[in-house]
Amino acid sequence: MNKAKLIKRDQITEVIQPRKTPIKTKPVVRKTMEAVNNWMDSRRNQRVDPRAAFAALFIQPQEQ
């Protein structure tokens, strides 16, 4: 069994080092991620208030 080593708060930055080389993604993966991000942004812009949508279900048509 391995023993766990106690890491102090001020030593965290020394232990967890950022990657020196960025991860290279394939063009297909990159395009897919961009498409998903664009879709999420468009959905976020079209967001409807859930209370208003629920209330719209029970609105009675007005007679003119």
Side-chain angles (χ1 to χ4, degrees), residues 22-35:
I23 299 173
K24 295 182 181 180
T25 57
K26 294 182 180 180
V28 174
V29 174
R30 190 177 308 123
K31 286 183 181 180
T32 305
M33 289 174 56
E34 288 175 4

Side-chain angles (χ1 to χ4, degrees), residues 17 22 25 32 36 44 63:
Q17 297 175 354
T25 57
T32 305
V36 169
R44 190 175 300 126
E63 296 180 21

Side-chain angles (χ1 to χ4, degrees), residues 6-25:
L6 180 64
I7 301 174
K8 297 181 182 176
R9 288 186 186 202
D10 44 323
Q11 295 175 344
I12 290 176
T13 55
E14 298 170 4
V15 174
I16 302 173
Q17 297 175 354
R19 295 180 187 241
K20 295 180 182 178
T21 57
I23 299 173
K24 295 182 181 180
T25 57

